[in-house]
mmCIF file of all heavy atoms in Angstrom:
data_model
loop_
_atom_site.group_PDB
_atom_site.id
_atom_site.type_symbol
_atom_site.label_atom_id
_atom_site.label_comp_id
_atom_site.label_asym_id
_atom_site.label_seq_id
_atom_site.Cartn_x
_atom_site.Cartn_y
_atom_site.Cartn_z
ATOM 1 N N PHE A 8 -33.675 53.303 -78.568
ATOM 2 C CA PHE A 8 -32.655 53.820 -77.637
ATOM 3 C C PHE A 8 -32.376 55.298 -78.034
ATOM 4 O O PHE A 8 -32.599 55.734 -79.090
ATOM 5 C CB PHE A 8 -31.357 53.050 -77.692
ATOM 6 C CG PHE A 8 -31.656 51.541 -77.292
ATOM 7 C CD1 PHE A 8 -31.843 50.538 -78.185
ATOM 8 C CD2 PHE A 8 -31.660 51.249 -75.929
ATOM 9 C CE1 PHE A 8 -32.097 49.237 -77.740
ATOM 10 C CE2 PHE A 8 -31.914 49.947 -75.488
ATOM 11 C CZ PHE A 8 -32.161 48.900 -76.432
ATOM 12 N N THR A 9 -31.860 56.040 -77.082
ATOM 13 C CA THR A 9 -31.592 57.472 -77.236
ATOM 14 C C THR A 9 -30.551 57.749 -78.290
ATOM 15 O O THR A 9 -30.465 58.753 -78.835
ATOM 16 C CB THR A 9 -31.238 58.084 -75.899
ATOM 17 O OG1 THR A 9 -30.075 57.433 -75.320
ATOM 18 C CG2 THR A 9 -32.415 58.134 -74.960
ATOM 19 N N ASP A 10 -29.610 56.710 -78.547
ATOM 20 C CA ASP A 10 -28.577 56.941 -79.480
ATOM 21 C C ASP A 10 -28.923 56.605 -80.914
ATOM 22 O O ASP A 10 -28.200 56.586 -81.852
ATOM 23 C CB ASP A 10 -27.345 56.112 -79.095
ATOM 24 C CG ASP A 10 -27.544 54.632 -79.111
ATOM 25 O OD1 ASP A 10 -28.674 54.167 -79.440
ATOM 26 O OD2 ASP A 10 -26.659 53.850 -78.820
ATOM 27 N N GLY A 11 -30.303 56.280 -81.116
ATOM 28 C CA GLY A 11 -30.849 55.987 -82.468
ATOM 29 C C GLY A 11 -30.893 54.569 -82.794
ATOM 30 O O GLY A 11 -31.461 54.203 -83.861
ATOM 31 N N GLN A 12 -30.367 53.683 -82.001
ATOM 32 C CA GLN A 12 -30.479 52.247 -82.189
ATOM 33 C C GLN A 12 -31.855 51.653 -81.919
ATOM 34 O O GLN A 12 -32.564 52.241 -81.034
ATOM 35 C CB GLN A 12 -29.387 51.484 -81.403
ATOM 36 C CG GLN A 12 -27.992 51.800 -81.717
ATOM 37 C CD GLN A 12 -27.073 50.944 -80.989
ATOM 38 O OE1 GLN A 12 -26.938 49.732 -81.104
ATOM 39 N NE2 GLN A 12 -26.226 51.621 -80.091
ATOM 40 N N GLU A 13 -32.207 50.616 -82.577
ATOM 41 C CA GLU A 13 -33.510 49.919 -82.254
ATOM 42 C C GLU A 13 -33.301 48.442 -82.102
ATOM 43 O O GLU A 13 -32.400 47.886 -82.632
ATOM 44 C CB GLU A 13 -34.427 50.154 -83.487
ATOM 45 C CG GLU A 13 -34.841 51.583 -83.738
ATOM 46 C CD GLU A 13 -35.862 51.557 -84.945
ATOM 47 O OE1 GLU A 13 -36.446 50.532 -85.372
ATOM 48 O OE2 GLU A 13 -35.991 52.654 -85.473
ATOM 49 N N GLU A 14 -34.189 47.905 -81.260
ATOM 50 C CA GLU A 14 -34.164 46.454 -81.066
ATOM 51 C C GLU A 14 -35.523 45.916 -81.024
ATOM 52 O O GLU A 14 -36.398 46.486 -80.306
ATOM 53 C CB GLU A 14 -33.408 46.060 -79.786
ATOM 54 C CG GLU A 14 -33.484 44.648 -79.388
ATOM 55 C CD GLU A 14 -32.848 44.392 -77.987
ATOM 56 O OE1 GLU A 14 -33.488 44.749 -76.996
ATOM 57 O OE2 GLU A 14 -31.742 43.872 -78.040
ATOM 58 N N SER A 15 -35.895 44.892 -81.791
ATOM 59 C CA SER A 15 -37.161 44.315 -81.790
ATOM 60 C C SER A 15 -37.064 42.809 -81.372
ATOM 61 O O SER A 15 -36.191 42.098 -81.939
ATOM 62 C CB SER A 15 -37.869 44.387 -83.115
ATOM 63 O OG SER A 15 -38.127 45.771 -83.498
ATOM 64 N N ILE A 16 -37.803 42.407 -80.452
ATOM 65 C CA ILE A 16 -37.818 40.981 -80.033
ATOM 66 C C ILE A 16 -39.209 40.429 -80.352
ATOM 67 O O ILE A 16 -40.236 40.858 -79.767
ATOM 68 C CB ILE A 16 -37.553 40.876 -78.538
ATOM 69 C CG1 ILE A 16 -36.229 41.590 -78.253
ATOM 70 C CG2 ILE A 16 -37.512 39.436 -78.040
ATOM 71 C CD1 ILE A 16 -35.974 41.876 -76.702
ATOM 72 N N PHE A 17 -39.208 39.471 -81.179
ATOM 73 C CA PHE A 17 -40.499 38.853 -81.702
ATOM 74 C C PHE A 17 -40.891 37.650 -80.850
ATOM 75 O O PHE A 17 -39.999 37.055 -80.210
ATOM 76 C CB PHE A 17 -40.340 38.468 -83.173
ATOM 77 C CG PHE A 17 -40.153 39.614 -84.093
ATOM 78 C CD1 PHE A 17 -38.859 40.066 -84.403
ATOM 79 C CD2 PHE A 17 -41.191 40.278 -84.632
ATOM 80 C CE1 PHE A 17 -38.705 41.205 -85.165
ATOM 81 C CE2 PHE A 17 -41.082 41.381 -85.495
ATOM 82 C CZ PHE A 17 -39.826 41.842 -85.732
ATOM 83 N N PRO A 18 -42.159 37.322 -80.820
ATOM 84 C CA PRO A 18 -42.609 36.177 -79.972
ATOM 85 C C PRO A 18 -41.928 34.935 -80.262
ATOM 86 O O PRO A 18 -41.802 34.133 -79.273
ATOM 87 C CB PRO A 18 -44.140 36.115 -80.281
ATOM 88 C CG PRO A 18 -44.478 37.470 -80.825
ATOM 89 C CD PRO A 18 -43.305 38.071 -81.479
ATOM 90 N N ASP A 19 -41.417 34.728 -81.501
ATOM 91 C CA ASP A 19 -40.763 33.419 -81.803
ATOM 92 C C ASP A 19 -39.244 33.342 -81.367
ATOM 93 O O ASP A 19 -38.639 32.424 -81.504
ATOM 94 C CB ASP A 19 -40.829 33.056 -83.252
ATOM 95 C CG ASP A 19 -40.016 34.020 -84.120
ATOM 96 O OD1 ASP A 19 -39.399 34.987 -83.649
ATOM 97 O OD2 ASP A 19 -39.969 33.766 -85.340
ATOM 98 N N GLY A 20 -38.838 34.473 -80.793
ATOM 99 C CA GLY A 20 -37.515 34.548 -80.209
ATOM 100 C C GLY A 20 -36.525 35.263 -81.160
ATOM 101 O O GLY A 20 -35.354 35.543 -80.907
ATOM 102 N N THR A 21 -36.969 35.549 -82.329
ATOM 103 C CA THR A 21 -36.127 36.291 -83.362
ATOM 104 C C THR A 21 -35.834 37.743 -82.805
ATOM 105 O O THR A 21 -36.730 38.339 -82.283
ATOM 106 C CB THR A 21 -36.791 36.395 -84.689
ATOM 107 O OG1 THR A 21 -37.015 35.130 -85.189
ATOM 108 C CG2 THR A 21 -35.947 37.145 -85.713
ATOM 109 N N ILE A 22 -34.610 38.139 -82.901
ATOM 110 C CA ILE A 22 -34.232 39.518 -82.459
ATOM 111 C C ILE A 22 -33.634 40.308 -83.630
ATOM 112 O O ILE A 22 -32.752 39.768 -84.308
ATOM 113 C CB ILE A 22 -33.219 39.469 -81.273
ATOM 114 C CG1 ILE A 22 -33.728 38.723 -80.115
ATOM 115 C CG2 ILE A 22 -32.739 40.843 -80.856
ATOM 116 C CD1 ILE A 22 -32.752 38.335 -79.024
ATOM 117 N N VAL A 23 -34.140 41.499 -83.815
ATOM 118 C CA VAL A 23 -33.637 42.348 -84.946
ATOM 119 C C VAL A 23 -33.068 43.628 -84.255
ATOM 120 O O VAL A 23 -33.809 44.294 -83.465
ATOM 121 C CB VAL A 23 -34.794 42.803 -85.931
ATOM 122 C CG1 VAL A 23 -34.252 43.696 -86.967
ATOM 123 C CG2 VAL A 23 -35.364 41.499 -86.605
ATOM 124 N N ARG A 24 -31.893 43.971 -84.539
ATOM 125 C CA ARG A 24 -31.166 45.156 -84.096
ATOM 126 C C ARG A 24 -30.822 45.962 -85.235
ATOM 127 O O ARG A 24 -30.188 45.521 -86.247
ATOM 128 C CB ARG A 24 -29.931 44.834 -83.274
ATOM 129 C CG ARG A 24 -30.220 44.077 -81.955
ATOM 130 C CD ARG A 24 -28.973 43.864 -81.126
ATOM 131 N NE ARG A 24 -29.380 43.220 -79.913
ATOM 132 C CZ ARG A 24 -29.364 41.915 -79.714
ATOM 133 N NH1 ARG A 24 -29.057 41.071 -80.769
ATOM 134 N NH2 ARG A 24 -29.693 41.290 -78.538
ATOM 135 N N ILE A 25 -31.171 47.283 -85.161
ATOM 136 C CA ILE A 25 -30.787 48.265 -86.266
ATOM 137 C C ILE A 25 -29.904 49.299 -85.641
ATOM 138 O O ILE A 25 -30.292 49.947 -84.607
ATOM 139 C CB ILE A 25 -32.143 48.877 -86.870
ATOM 140 C CG1 ILE A 25 -33.089 47.857 -87.371
ATOM 141 C CG2 ILE A 25 -31.740 49.898 -87.853
ATOM 142 C CD1 ILE A 25 -34.405 48.317 -87.903
ATOM 143 N N GLN A 26 -28.742 49.466 -86.289
ATOM 144 C CA GLN A 26 -27.822 50.452 -85.785
ATOM 145 C C GLN A 26 -28.044 51.835 -86.398
ATOM 146 O O GLN A 26 -28.917 51.918 -87.355
ATOM 147 C CB GLN A 26 -26.380 50.041 -86.192
ATOM 148 C CG GLN A 26 -25.970 48.655 -85.719
ATOM 149 C CD GLN A 26 -26.058 48.501 -84.218
ATOM 150 O OE1 GLN A 26 -25.704 49.458 -83.469
ATOM 151 N NE2 GLN A 26 -26.589 47.431 -83.731
ATOM 152 N N ARG A 27 -27.478 52.855 -85.892
ATOM 153 C CA ARG A 27 -27.670 54.206 -86.408
ATOM 154 C C ARG A 27 -27.412 54.336 -87.837
ATOM 155 O O ARG A 27 -28.000 55.122 -88.606
ATOM 156 C CB ARG A 27 -26.837 55.216 -85.606
ATOM 157 C CG ARG A 27 -27.440 55.536 -84.252
ATOM 158 C CD ARG A 27 -26.806 56.626 -83.499
ATOM 159 N NE ARG A 27 -25.487 56.919 -83.914
ATOM 160 C CZ ARG A 27 -24.439 57.103 -83.125
ATOM 161 N NH1 ARG A 27 -24.677 57.106 -81.854
ATOM 162 N NH2 ARG A 27 -23.248 57.373 -83.550
ATOM 163 N N ASP A 28 -26.295 53.543 -88.355
ATOM 164 C CA ASP A 28 -25.903 53.674 -89.781
ATOM 165 C C ASP A 28 -26.920 52.934 -90.658
ATOM 166 O O ASP A 28 -26.727 52.910 -91.882
ATOM 167 C CB ASP A 28 -24.533 53.143 -89.907
ATOM 168 C CG ASP A 28 -24.357 51.653 -89.699
ATOM 169 O OD1 ASP A 28 -25.367 50.971 -89.326
ATOM 170 O OD2 ASP A 28 -23.246 51.228 -89.702
ATOM 171 N N GLY A 29 -27.920 52.300 -90.162
ATOM 172 C CA GLY A 29 -28.896 51.555 -90.933
ATOM 173 C C GLY A 29 -28.563 50.101 -91.036
ATOM 174 O O GLY A 29 -29.500 49.307 -91.596
ATOM 175 N N SER A 30 -27.437 49.654 -90.597
ATOM 176 C CA SER A 30 -27.124 48.202 -90.756
ATOM 177 C C SER A 30 -28.007 47.416 -89.714
ATOM 178 O O SER A 30 -28.476 47.974 -88.666
ATOM 179 C CB SER A 30 -25.666 47.934 -90.414
ATOM 180 O OG SER A 30 -25.319 48.298 -89.139
ATOM 181 N N LYS A 31 -28.336 46.246 -90.066
ATOM 182 C CA LYS A 31 -29.317 45.467 -89.368
ATOM 183 C C LYS A 31 -28.715 44.070 -89.025
ATOM 184 O O LYS A 31 -28.101 43.434 -89.921
ATOM 185 C CB LYS A 31 -30.558 45.250 -90.231
ATOM 186 C CG LYS A 31 -31.714 44.519 -89.524
ATOM 187 C CD LYS A 31 -32.878 44.221 -90.510
ATOM 188 C CE LYS A 31 -33.464 45.394 -91.194
ATOM 189 N NZ LYS A 31 -34.644 45.040 -91.927
ATOM 190 N N THR A 32 -28.879 43.581 -87.814
ATOM 191 C CA THR A 32 -28.530 42.235 -87.420
ATOM 192 C C THR A 32 -29.798 41.510 -86.990
ATOM 193 O O THR A 32 -30.576 42.056 -86.272
ATOM 194 C CB THR A 32 -27.549 42.304 -86.267
ATOM 195 O OG1 THR A 32 -26.438 43.069 -86.490
ATOM 196 C CG2 THR A 32 -27.103 40.868 -85.808
ATOM 197 N N ILE A 33 -29.986 40.317 -87.544
ATOM 198 C CA ILE A 33 -31.124 39.469 -87.219
ATOM 199 C C ILE A 33 -30.634 38.158 -86.698
ATOM 200 O O ILE A 33 -29.819 37.485 -87.238
ATOM 201 C CB ILE A 33 -31.962 39.175 -88.530
ATOM 202 C CG1 ILE A 33 -32.402 40.466 -89.210
ATOM 203 C CG2 ILE A 33 -33.177 38.355 -88.037
ATOM 204 C CD1 ILE A 33 -32.923 40.280 -90.631
ATOM 205 N N GLU A 34 -31.019 37.844 -85.402
ATOM 206 C CA GLU A 34 -30.691 36.646 -84.741
ATOM 207 C C GLU A 34 -32.047 35.787 -84.758
ATOM 208 O O GLU A 34 -33.004 36.146 -84.130
ATOM 209 C CB GLU A 34 -30.235 36.878 -83.307
ATOM 210 C CG GLU A 34 -28.913 37.732 -83.320
ATOM 211 C CD GLU A 34 -28.528 38.131 -82.011
ATOM 212 O OE1 GLU A 34 -29.064 37.490 -80.966
ATOM 213 O OE2 GLU A 34 -27.571 38.871 -81.805
ATOM 214 N N PHE A 35 -31.902 34.605 -85.455
ATOM 215 C CA PHE A 35 -33.024 33.710 -85.558
ATOM 216 C C PHE A 35 -33.059 32.716 -84.378
ATOM 217 O O PHE A 35 -32.056 32.390 -83.878
ATOM 218 C CB PHE A 35 -33.125 33.018 -86.930
ATOM 219 C CG PHE A 35 -33.200 33.937 -88.085
ATOM 220 C CD1 PHE A 35 -32.106 34.449 -88.779
ATOM 221 C CD2 PHE A 35 -34.411 34.430 -88.526
ATOM 222 C CE1 PHE A 35 -32.245 35.302 -89.859
ATOM 223 C CE2 PHE A 35 -34.646 35.221 -89.562
ATOM 224 C CZ PHE A 35 -33.506 35.707 -90.242
ATOM 225 N N ASN A 36 -34.190 32.165 -84.095
ATOM 226 C CA ASN A 36 -34.272 31.235 -83.020
ATOM 227 C C ASN A 36 -33.744 29.884 -83.290
ATOM 228 O O ASN A 36 -33.490 29.071 -82.447
ATOM 229 C CB ASN A 36 -35.734 31.102 -82.462
ATOM 230 C CG ASN A 36 -36.697 30.581 -83.510
ATOM 231 O OD1 ASN A 36 -36.258 30.247 -84.674
ATOM 232 N ND2 ASN A 36 -37.939 30.516 -83.168
#
């Protein structure tokens, strides 16, 4: 994203979001 955030969606449904401050949220399936 333009604000520096990232989001990855894996084939197994896991979602990883990285904020601008480097903190990371992982949502498992």
Side-chain angles (χ1 to χ4, degrees):
F8 299 97
T9 55
D10 63 2
Q12 296 184 63
E13 293 182 17
E14 174 186 73
S15 295
I16 303 165
F17 294 90
D19 70 356
T21 301
I22 300 172
V23 177
R24 291 185 179 91
I25 302 174
Q26 304 302 317
R27 285 192 332 227
D28 65 3
S30 64
K31 183 189 301 187
T32 305
I33 306 167
E34 296 174 13
F35 297 96
N36 61 5

